[in-house]
PDB file of all heavy atoms in Angstrom:
ATOM      1  N   THR A   8     108.699 104.871 266.747  1.00  0.00           N
ATOM      2  CA  THR A   8     107.692 105.407 265.752  1.00  0.00           C
ATOM      3  C   THR A   8     107.520 106.879 266.046  1.00  0.00           C
ATOM      4  O   THR A   8     107.777 107.386 267.107  1.00  0.00           O
ATOM      5  CB  THR A   8     106.327 104.726 265.957  1.00  0.00           C
ATOM      6  OG1 THR A   8     105.431 105.275 264.993  1.00  0.00           O
ATOM      7  CG2 THR A   8     105.806 104.835 267.394  1.00  0.00           C
ATOM      8  N   THR A  15     101.271 118.407 261.739  1.00  0.00           N
ATOM      9  CA  THR A  15     100.352 119.468 261.285  1.00  0.00           C
ATOM     10  C   THR A  15      99.474 118.991 260.169  1.00  0.00           C
ATOM     11  O   THR A  15     100.025 118.460 259.075  1.00  0.00           O
ATOM     12  CB  THR A  15     101.126 120.706 260.799  1.00  0.00           C
ATOM     13  OG1 THR A  15     101.919 121.220 261.926  1.00  0.00           O
ATOM     14  CG2 THR A  15     100.178 121.841 260.380  1.00  0.00           C
ATOM     15  N   GLN A  20      97.285 121.918 264.306  1.00  0.00           N
ATOM     16  CA  GLN A  20      98.681 121.504 264.840  1.00  0.00           C
ATOM     17  C   GLN A  20      98.367 120.486 265.976  1.00  0.00           C
ATOM     18  O   GLN A  20      97.866 120.893 267.018  1.00  0.00           O
ATOM     19  CB  GLN A  20      99.386 122.742 265.319  1.00  0.00           C
ATOM     20  CG  GLN A  20      99.746 123.683 264.149  1.00  0.00           C
ATOM     21  CD  GLN A  20     100.540 124.859 264.549  1.00  0.00           C
ATOM     22  OE1 GLN A  20     100.544 125.222 265.714  1.00  0.00           O
ATOM     23  NE2 GLN A  20     101.212 125.438 263.559  1.00  0.00           N
ATOM     24  N   ARG A  24     100.091 111.808 266.604  1.00  0.00           N
ATOM     25  CA  ARG A  24      99.310 111.263 265.427  1.00  0.00           C
ATOM     26  C   ARG A  24      98.335 110.216 265.857  1.00  0.00           C
ATOM     27  O   ARG A  24      97.952 109.365 265.056  1.00  0.00           O
ATOM     28  CB  ARG A  24     100.377 110.656 264.455  1.00  0.00           C
ATOM     29  CG  ARG A  24     101.282 111.671 263.879  1.00  0.00           C
ATOM     30  CD  ARG A  24     102.438 110.991 263.074  1.00  0.00           C
ATOM     31  NE  ARG A  24     103.416 111.895 262.609  1.00  0.00           N
ATOM     32  CZ  ARG A  24     103.507 112.311 261.305  1.00  0.00           C
ATOM     33  NH1 ARG A  24     102.709 111.907 260.397  1.00  0.00           N
ATOM     34  NH2 ARG A  24     104.505 113.211 260.998  1.00  0.00           N
ATOM     35  N   ASP A  38      66.547 116.465 272.670  1.00  0.00           N
ATOM     36  CA  ASP A  38      66.932 117.717 272.029  1.00  0.00           C
ATOM     37  C   ASP A  38      68.337 117.737 271.448  1.00  0.00           C
ATOM     38  O   ASP A  38      68.728 118.682 270.797  1.00  0.00           O
ATOM     39  CB  ASP A  38      66.803 118.850 273.091  1.00  0.00           C
ATOM     40  CG  ASP A  38      67.644 118.633 274.361  1.00  0.00           C
ATOM     41  OD1 ASP A  38      68.459 117.598 274.389  1.00  0.00           O
ATOM     42  OD2 ASP A  38      67.566 119.433 275.314  1.00  0.00           O
ATOM     43  N   GLY A  39      69.047 116.630 271.724  1.00  0.00           N
ATOM     44  CA  GLY A  39      70.398 116.576 271.108  1.00  0.00           C
ATOM     45  C   GLY A  39      71.389 117.586 271.618  1.00  0.00           C
ATOM     46  O   GLY A  39      72.356 117.941 270.911  1.00  0.00           O
ATOM     47  N   GLU A  43      77.315 119.234 280.545  1.00  0.00           N
ATOM     48  CA  GLU A  43      78.600 119.149 281.311  1.00  0.00           C
ATOM     49  C   GLU A  43      79.181 117.742 281.295  1.00  0.00           C
ATOM     50  O   GLU A  43      80.367 117.512 281.336  1.00  0.00           O
ATOM     51  CB  GLU A  43      78.432 119.677 282.691  1.00  0.00           C
ATOM     52  CG  GLU A  43      78.347 121.146 282.866  1.00  0.00           C
ATOM     53  CD  GLU A  43      76.993 121.732 282.518  1.00  0.00           C
ATOM     54  OE1 GLU A  43      76.040 120.888 282.298  1.00  0.00           O
ATOM     55  OE2 GLU A  43      76.901 122.941 282.439  1.00  0.00           O
ATOM     56  N   HIS A  95      89.641 122.415 274.887  1.00  0.00           N
ATOM     57  CA  HIS A  95      90.756 123.385 274.696  1.00  0.00           C
ATOM     58  C   HIS A  95      91.429 123.731 276.044  1.00  0.00           C
ATOM     59  O   HIS A  95      92.655 123.998 276.038  1.00  0.00           O
ATOM     60  CB  HIS A  95      90.171 124.663 274.005  1.00  0.00           C
ATOM     61  CG  HIS A  95      89.682 124.432 272.622  1.00  0.00           C
ATOM     62  ND1 HIS A  95      88.702 125.206 272.066  1.00  0.00           N
ATOM     63  CD2 HIS A  95      90.063 123.611 271.708  1.00  0.00           C
ATOM     64  CE1 HIS A  95      88.470 124.753 270.830  1.00  0.00           C
ATOM     65  NE2 HIS A  95      89.386 123.836 270.593  1.00  0.00           N
ATOM     66  N   VAL A 102      87.362 118.321 266.226  1.00  0.00           N
ATOM     67  CA  VAL A 102      86.559 118.660 265.049  1.00  0.00           C
ATOM     68  C   VAL A 102      85.155 118.002 265.108  1.00  0.00           C
ATOM     69  O   VAL A 102      84.996 117.005 265.844  1.00  0.00           O
ATOM     70  CB  VAL A 102      87.210 118.208 263.765  1.00  0.00           C
ATOM     71  CG1 VAL A 102      88.553 118.916 263.586  1.00  0.00           C
ATOM     72  CG2 VAL A 102      87.427 116.751 263.622  1.00  0.00           C
ATOM     73  N   PRO A 147      62.532 104.665 252.797  1.00  0.00           N
ATOM     74  CA  PRO A 147      62.672 106.090 252.549  1.00  0.00           C
ATOM     75  C   PRO A 147      61.919 106.529 251.285  1.00  0.00           C
ATOM     76  O   PRO A 147      61.494 105.700 250.459  1.00  0.00           O
ATOM     77  CB  PRO A 147      64.178 106.227 252.303  1.00  0.00           C
ATOM     78  CG  PRO A 147      64.572 104.979 251.680  1.00  0.00           C
ATOM     79  CD  PRO A 147      63.712 103.927 252.273  1.00  0.00           C
ATOM     80  N   GLY A 157      68.727 122.047 249.041  1.00  0.00           N
ATOM     81  CA  GLY A 157      68.356 122.156 250.460  1.00  0.00           C
ATOM     82  C   GLY A 157      69.163 121.272 251.383  1.00  0.00           C
ATOM     83  O   GLY A 157      69.498 121.607 252.496  1.00  0.00           O
ATOM     84  N   LEU A 170      81.428 126.199 263.574  1.00  0.00           N
ATOM     85  CA  LEU A 170      82.393 127.317 263.700  1.00  0.00           C
ATOM     86  C   LEU A 170      82.023 128.177 264.923  1.00  0.00           C
ATOM     87  O   LEU A 170      82.900 128.454 265.771  1.00  0.00           O
ATOM     88  CB  LEU A 170      82.356 128.139 262.398  1.00  0.00           C
ATOM     89  CG  LEU A 170      83.389 129.153 262.115  1.00  0.00           C
ATOM     90  CD1 LEU A 170      84.779 128.538 262.072  1.00  0.00           C
ATOM     91  CD2 LEU A 170      83.113 129.887 260.788  1.00  0.00           C
ATOM     92  N   VAL A 177      86.010 120.674 260.899  1.00  0.00           N
ATOM     93  CA  VAL A 177      84.842 119.698 260.683  1.00  0.00           C
ATOM     94  C   VAL A 177      85.273 118.553 259.855  1.00  0.00           C
ATOM     95  O   VAL A 177      86.262 118.671 258.996  1.00  0.00           O
ATOM     96  CB  VAL A 177      83.638 120.451 260.072  1.00  0.00           C
ATOM     97  CG1 VAL A 177      82.990 121.451 260.963  1.00  0.00           C
ATOM     98  CG2 VAL A 177      83.985 121.098 258.724  1.00  0.00           C
ATOM     99  N   PHE A 190      74.565 108.104 248.148  1.00  0.00           N
ATOM    100  CA  PHE A 190      74.606 108.701 246.830  1.00  0.00           C
ATOM    101  C   PHE A 190      75.771 108.139 245.997  1.00  0.00           C
ATOM    102  O   PHE A 190      75.723 108.007 244.794  1.00  0.00           O
ATOM    103  CB  PHE A 190      74.706 110.248 246.876  1.00  0.00           C
ATOM    104  CG  PHE A 190      73.377 110.945 246.919  1.00  0.00           C
ATOM    105  CD1 PHE A 190      72.649 111.154 248.068  1.00  0.00           C
ATOM    106  CD2 PHE A 190      72.841 111.478 245.705  1.00  0.00           C
ATOM    107  CE1 PHE A 190      71.418 111.759 248.076  1.00  0.00           C
ATOM    108  CE2 PHE A 190      71.604 112.070 245.704  1.00  0.00           C
ATOM    109  CZ  PHE A 190      70.876 112.239 246.813  1.00  0.00           C
ATOM    110  N   LEU A 191      76.901 107.857 246.693  1.00  0.00           N
ATOM    111  CA  LEU A 191      78.054 107.313 246.026  1.00  0.00           C
ATOM    112  C   LEU A 191      77.845 105.926 245.451  1.00  0.00           C
ATOM    113  O   LEU A 191      78.279 105.615 244.332  1.00  0.00           O
ATOM    114  CB  LEU A 191      79.267 107.244 247.007  1.00  0.00           C
ATOM    115  CG  LEU A 191      79.819 108.558 247.525  1.00  0.00           C
ATOM    116  CD1 LEU A 191      80.940 108.329 248.554  1.00  0.00           C
ATOM    117  CD2 LEU A 191      80.381 109.467 246.369  1.00  0.00           C
ATOM    118  N   THR A 199      68.150 108.854 237.946  1.00  0.00           N
ATOM    119  CA  THR A 199      68.351 109.100 236.550  1.00  0.00           C
ATOM    120  C   THR A 199      68.642 110.570 236.292  1.00  0.00           C
ATOM    121  O   THR A 199      68.780 110.982 235.071  1.00  0.00           O
ATOM    122  CB  THR A 199      67.231 108.542 235.693  1.00  0.00           C
ATOM    123  OG1 THR A 199      66.050 109.233 236.168  1.00  0.00           O
ATOM    124  CG2 THR A 199      67.059 107.043 235.841  1.00  0.00           C
ATOM    125  N   ASP A 227      91.884 124.049 254.978  1.00  0.00           N
ATOM    126  CA  ASP A 227      92.850 123.433 255.825  1.00  0.00           C
ATOM    127  C   ASP A 227      92.322 123.121 257.238  1.00  0.00           C
ATOM    128  O   ASP A 227      93.008 122.732 258.135  1.00  0.00           O
ATOM    129  CB  ASP A 227      94.082 124.378 255.971  1.00  0.00           C
ATOM    130  CG  ASP A 227      93.745 125.827 256.031  1.00  0.00           C
ATOM    131  OD1 ASP A 227      92.575 126.170 256.339  1.00  0.00           O
ATOM    132  OD2 ASP A 227      94.580 126.716 255.785  1.00  0.00           O
ATOM    133  N   ILE A 231      87.647 114.607 255.601  1.00  0.00           N
ATOM    134  CA  ILE A 231      86.506 113.763 255.142  1.00  0.00           C
ATOM    135  C   ILE A 231      86.743 112.349 255.537  1.00  0.00           C
ATOM    136  O   ILE A 231      87.833 111.877 255.570  1.00  0.00           O
ATOM    137  CB  ILE A 231      86.319 113.939 253.618  1.00  0.00           C
ATOM    138  CG1 ILE A 231      85.036 113.331 253.184  1.00  0.00           C
ATOM    139  CG2 ILE A 231      87.537 113.400 252.886  1.00  0.00           C
ATOM    140  CD1 ILE A 231      84.631 113.701 251.750  1.00  0.00           C
ATOM    141  N   PRO A 244      75.128  96.992 250.225  1.00  0.00           N
ATOM    142  CA  PRO A 244      76.152  96.432 249.351  1.00  0.00           C
ATOM    143  C   PRO A 244      77.101  97.553 248.900  1.00  0.00           C
ATOM    144  O   PRO A 244      76.677  98.670 248.773  1.00  0.00           O
ATOM    145  CB  PRO A 244      75.413  95.841 248.226  1.00  0.00           C
ATOM    146  CG  PRO A 244      74.003  95.689 248.691  1.00  0.00           C
ATOM    147  CD  PRO A 244      73.763  96.768 249.754  1.00  0.00           C
ATOM    148  N   ASN A 248      81.772  98.994 241.460  1.00  0.00           N
ATOM    149  CA  ASN A 248      83.196  99.249 241.058  1.00  0.00           C
ATOM    150  C   ASN A 248      83.840 100.142 242.121  1.00  0.00           C
ATOM    151  O   ASN A 248      83.954 101.347 241.855  1.00  0.00           O
ATOM    152  CB  ASN A 248      83.313  99.715 239.594  1.00  0.00           C
ATOM    153  CG  ASN A 248      84.732  99.693 239.142  1.00  0.00           C
ATOM    154  OD1 ASN A 248      85.636  99.690 239.906  1.00  0.00           O
ATOM    155  ND2 ASN A 248      84.856  99.711 237.811  1.00  0.00           N
ATOM    156  N   VAL A 249      84.210  99.599 243.256  1.00  0.00           N
ATOM    157  CA  VAL A 249      84.716 100.433 244.300  1.00  0.00           C
ATOM    158  C   VAL A 249      85.980 101.169 243.928  1.00  0.00           C
ATOM    159  O   VAL A 249      86.080 102.360 244.265  1.00  0.00           O
ATOM    160  CB  VAL A 249      85.061  99.466 245.583  1.00  0.00           C
ATOM    161  CG1 VAL A 249      85.874 100.196 246.594  1.00  0.00           C
ATOM    162  CG2 VAL A 249      83.771  98.917 246.103  1.00  0.00           C
ATOM    163  N   ASN A 261      91.213 115.991 245.903  1.00  0.00           N
ATOM    164  CA  ASN A 261      92.496 116.551 245.932  1.00  0.00           C
ATOM    165  C   ASN A 261      92.433 118.047 245.523  1.00  0.00           C
ATOM    166  O   ASN A 261      93.330 118.799 245.934  1.00  0.00           O
ATOM    167  CB  ASN A 261      93.460 115.798 245.040  1.00  0.00           C
ATOM    168  CG  ASN A 261      93.967 114.553 245.620  1.00  0.00           C
ATOM    169  OD1 ASN A 261      93.963 114.363 246.841  1.00  0.00           O
ATOM    170  ND2 ASN A 261      94.325 113.533 244.777  1.00  0.00           N
ATOM    171  N   ALA A 274      85.310  96.576 257.121  1.00  0.00           N
ATOM    172  CA  ALA A 274      83.968  96.719 257.696  1.00  0.00           C
ATOM    173  C   ALA A 274      83.995  97.361 259.008  1.00  0.00           C
ATOM    174  O   ALA A 274      84.728  96.897 259.914  1.00  0.00           O
ATOM    175  CB  ALA A 274      83.253  95.401 257.660  1.00  0.00           C
ATOM    176  N   ASP A 284      88.898  92.351 244.727  1.00  0.00           N
ATOM    177  CA  ASP A 284      89.113  93.382 243.714  1.00  0.00           C
ATOM    178  C   ASP A 284      89.342  94.784 244.310  1.00  0.00           C
ATOM    179  O   ASP A 284      89.290  95.695 243.468  1.00  0.00           O
ATOM    180  CB  ASP A 284      87.995  93.342 242.687  1.00  0.00           C
ATOM    181  CG  ASP A 284      86.627  93.640 243.318  1.00  0.00           C
ATOM    182  OD1 ASP A 284      86.468  93.602 244.538  1.00  0.00           O
ATOM    183  OD2 ASP A 284      85.690  93.935 242.511  1.00  0.00           O
ATOM    184  N   MET A 308     100.236  97.124 264.689  1.00  0.00           N
ATOM    185  CA  MET A 308      99.863  97.364 263.340  1.00  0.00           C
ATOM    186  C   MET A 308     100.002  98.832 262.954  1.00  0.00           C
ATOM    187  O   MET A 308     100.429  99.149 261.760  1.00  0.00           O
ATOM    188  CB  MET A 308      98.365  96.924 263.150  1.00  0.00           C
ATOM    189  CG  MET A 308      97.915  97.045 261.676  1.00  0.00           C
ATOM    190  SD  MET A 308      96.137  97.012 261.520  1.00  0.00           S
ATOM    191  CE  MET A 308      95.735  95.498 262.277  1.00  0.00           C
ATOM    192  N   VAL A 321      96.821 107.395 263.013  1.00  0.00           N
ATOM    193  CA  VAL A 321      95.945 106.269 263.256  1.00  0.00           C
ATOM    194  C   VAL A 321      94.831 106.687 264.196  1.00  0.00           C
ATOM    195  O   VAL A 321      94.988 107.351 265.125  1.00  0.00           O
ATOM    196  CB  VAL A 321      96.730 105.070 263.839  1.00  0.00           C
ATOM    197  CG1 VAL A 321      97.404 105.406 265.131  1.00  0.00           C
ATOM    198  CG2 VAL A 321      95.818 103.870 264.038  1.00  0.00           C
ATOM    199  N   LYS A 357      78.147 106.363 284.310  1.00  0.00           N
ATOM    200  CA  LYS A 357      78.687 104.995 284.427  1.00  0.00           C
ATOM    201  C   LYS A 357      79.109 104.431 283.009  1.00  0.00           C
ATOM    202  O   LYS A 357      78.256 104.480 282.108  1.00  0.00           O
ATOM    203  CB  LYS A 357      77.694 104.117 285.112  1.00  0.00           C
ATOM    204  CG  LYS A 357      78.193 102.664 285.316  1.00  0.00           C
ATOM    205  CD  LYS A 357      77.176 101.876 286.106  1.00  0.00           C
ATOM    206  CE  LYS A 357      77.599 100.326 286.127  1.00  0.00           C
ATOM    207  NZ  LYS A 357      78.950 100.083 286.466  1.00  0.00           N
ATOM    208  N   PRO A 363      89.323 104.927 284.962  1.00  0.00           N
ATOM    209  CA  PRO A 363      90.493 105.447 285.594  1.00  0.00           C
ATOM    210  C   PRO A 363      91.614 105.712 284.649  1.00  0.00           C
ATOM    211  O   PRO A 363      91.621 105.118 283.524  1.00  0.00           O
ATOM    212  CB  PRO A 363      90.821 104.387 286.648  1.00  0.00           C
ATOM    213  CG  PRO A 363      90.340 103.122 286.030  1.00  0.00           C
ATOM    214  CD  PRO A 363      89.098 103.458 285.292  1.00  0.00           C
ATOM    215  N   TYR A 367     101.636 104.041 285.168  1.00  0.00           N
ATOM    216  CA  TYR A 367     102.853 104.217 284.349  1.00  0.00           C
ATOM    217  C   TYR A 367     104.116 103.962 285.227  1.00  0.00           C
ATOM    218  O   TYR A 367     104.109 104.366 286.379  1.00  0.00           O
ATOM    219  CB  TYR A 367     102.917 105.557 283.695  1.00  0.00           C
ATOM    220  CG  TYR A 367     101.626 105.971 282.984  1.00  0.00           C
ATOM    221  CD1 TYR A 367     100.710 106.859 283.475  1.00  0.00           C
ATOM    222  CD2 TYR A 367     101.240 105.259 281.841  1.00  0.00           C
ATOM    223  CE1 TYR A 367      99.540 107.200 282.871  1.00  0.00           C
ATOM    224  CE2 TYR A 367     100.049 105.575 281.180  1.00  0.00           C
ATOM    225  CZ  TYR A 367      99.241 106.505 281.746  1.00  0.00           C
ATOM    226  OH  TYR A 367      98.025 106.821 281.166  1.00  0.00           O
TER     227      TYR A 367
END
Side-chain angles (χ1 to χ4, degrees):
T8 179
T15 299
Q20 296 184 337
R24 298 170 185 256
D38 58 6
E43 285 78 8
H95 294 151
V102 300
L170 194 57
V177 291
F190 270 85
L191 294 175
T199 56
D227 41 17
I231 190 166
N248 191 337
V249 169
N261 283 334
D284 60 346
M308 185 196 301
V321 59
K357 182 174 168 52
Y367 308 106

